[in-house]
Each structure stands twice: as C-alpha cells, then as structure tokens.
Amino acid sequence: MDQQKIGRFIATERKEKGLTQAALAEKLGITDRAISKWETGKSLPDASLMLELSEILGINVNELLTGERIKVDEYQKIAEENLLEMRKKEEISNKKLLNFEIIICILGFLSLGAFMGIAVLADISWLLRSVIIGLAILVFGITTACSFKIEHDAGYYMCPNCNHTYVPAMKWIVFAPHMGWKKHMKCPKCNKKGWHKKVLSK
C-alpha cells in the first residue's frame, strides 16, 4: 500500500467534505495529530477506524486502501489485491511476534539457569540463596507469561479435520500438549480433537 497516496487521498476527500483535520478527528474520537500523520503518509489509519472514516468521507474501504476512486468494473480485482496485501502484512507481523516469543523463551531459560547456578554453586548465605532462587522463579514466570500472551495473540491455529482457523482460549495455549508449532486441542467448530497447526493468517 502506498501510504503517501492514501494520505493525499484522505486529505482531498476531507477537504471536499468541508472538514478540518480537527473536525474529522473529533468525529473519529482521535487527535488531529493522528489525521496529520495519515495525510502526510507517516502512518495508516487503524483497521478499527477504517470503516467509520470511509463512511465520513463518502468512500468505501477499498478506495481508502487504494488511495483513489475505483471504477465499478475494477472493484473486484482491487478488492482482492487489497485483501492479499493485508494478509501478507498480517503474516509478516505475526512471524515477527513468534520470533520474539522464541527469544523471550531462550532468555527465560538462560536467566533461570544463571540464577540457579549462582544459588547452588556460590558460597553465600541461606537468605541470599533464597532471594536469588525467588528472583529466578519470578523472572522465569514473567518470561513464560509473556510467551503465552504472544502465542495467543500472534496468528491462528488450524484444525486438521475441518481446516477451521481460530484463536484458541488462553487455557488451551497454557495447558494443551504441544509439539513444535502444533498443539493437541479440540476444534471449536467440529469439536474433534487433533494436532492443530499454527498458521500466520486466515
């Protein structure tokens, strides 16, 4: 997506509606600084605002994402291109999050090993040893919780039985048996259990 082109399009359509940046921001419940960033191509509107923004400007979401008015005969093609591009961006974003999860897990285990090594091998008092062990457990707990949160938020899981893609409840993320990027869970659609594979997009 061409952010500069989209920004110019938003500015043009806003002015045609006789709206200032401040007036548009007020309608959307955001700051005029956010509008300015959109119109200068520094950022894109959040997905949660795109429909409302399009309605205010009298355009549709595909025109917003394309940065121009779309002819009726080109609508289907451009809609598909926009969907593919949004899917690609989602996959890249989720892949980065999952890589970050791996780093967090490694740091968690390294920290646990380092703290426990110090607690066991160092010639220190019982009190200090207890503090170090407690700190090790705390750090490991925090990194594990962060890892579970990323695992829940990044991507989806696909049922091997019906190919349904979904975000499982946190209890499945925490307690379901796993093997690599697969978890043994029950599908919320077909209710069958199996090894559900992690996928980056629907």
Side-chain angles (χ1 to χ4, degrees), residues 183-201:
K183 285 186 178 289
H184 196 268
M185 301 182 287
K186 184 169 74 172
C187 175
K189 185 177 181 181
C190 68
N191 289 320
K192 292 181 180 178
K193 287 188 176 182
W195 287 98
H196 295 201
K197 184 181 178 182
K198 186 78 171 178
V199 292
L200 297 175
S201 64

Side-chain angles (χ1 to χ4, degrees), residues 65 71-72 83 85 94 145 164 199:
L65 293 173
K71 296 177 183 177
V72 176
L83 282 172
E85 190 164 350
N94 285 332
H164 175 60
V199 292

Side-chain angles (χ1 to χ4, degrees), residues 78-137:
I78 291 174
E80 289 173 359
E81 288 174 354
N82 285 335
L83 282 172
L84 287 172
E85 190 164 350
M86 289 180 74
R87 181 177 180 178
K88 187 177 179 180
K89 284 191 173 185
E90 182 185 27
E91 288 179 354
I92 292 170
S93 175
N94 285 332
K95 191 172 184 179
K96 286 180 180 177
L97 280 173
L98 291 174
N99 287 337
F100 185 56
E101 179 193 3
I102 292 170
I103 293 170
I104 288 176
C105 287
I106 292 171
L107 289 175
F109 279 108
L110 288 176
S111 299
L112 180 65
F115 280 123
M116 294 303 287
I118 293 170
V120 172
L121 300 175
D123 185 17
I124 53 178
S125 68
W126 177 87
L127 179 61
L128 185 56
R129 182 174 284 112
S130 298
V131 170
I132 292 173
I133 291 172
L135 189 59
I137 294 170

Side-chain angles (χ1 to χ4, degrees), residues 48-183:
S48 62
L49 294 172
M50 285 186 179
L51 185 58
E52 188 178 0
L53 174 61
S54 298
E55 288 175 354
I56 292 169
L57 297 180
I59 58 177
N60 60 56
V61 174
N62 280 310
E63 289 174 327
L64 175 63
L65 293 173
T66 308
E68 62 184 3
R69 292 282 183 175
I70 301 172
K71 296 177 183 177
V72 176
D73 57 340
E74 296 176 347
Y75 187 86
Q76 183 65 32
K77 179 185 175 184
I78 291 174
E80 289 173 359
E81 288 174 354
N82 285 335
L83 282 172
L84 287 172
E85 190 164 350
M86 289 180 74
R87 181 177 180 178
K88 187 177 179 180
K89 284 191 173 185
E90 182 185 27
E91 288 179 354
I92 292 170
S93 175
N94 285 332
K95 191 172 184 179
K96 286 180 180 177
L97 280 173
L98 291 174
N99 287 337
F100 185 56
E101 179 193 3
I102 292 170
I103 293 170
I104 288 176
C105 287
I106 292 171
L107 289 175
F109 279 108
L110 288 176
S111 299
L112 180 65
F115 280 123
M116 294 303 287
I118 293 170
V120 172
L121 300 175
D123 185 17
I124 53 178
S125 68
W126 177 87
L127 179 61
L128 185 56
R129 182 174 284 112
S130 298
V131 170
I132 292 173
I133 291 172
L135 189 59
I137 294 170
L138 177 64
V139 171
F140 185 71
I142 291 171
T143 55
T144 301
C146 289
S147 176
F148 283 143
K149 182 71 170 72
I150 293 172
E151 177 72 15
H152 179 266
D153 294 346
Y156 309 86
Y157 278 89
M158 180 181 286
C159 173
N161 302 300
C162 66
N163 291 328
H164 175 60
T165 52
Y166 66 100
V167 176
M170 184 59 81
K171 67 177 182 179
W172 288 107
I173 296 293
V174 176
F175 298 112
H178 69 277
M179 185 172 58
W181 291 114
K182 292 183 178 180
K183 285 186 178 289

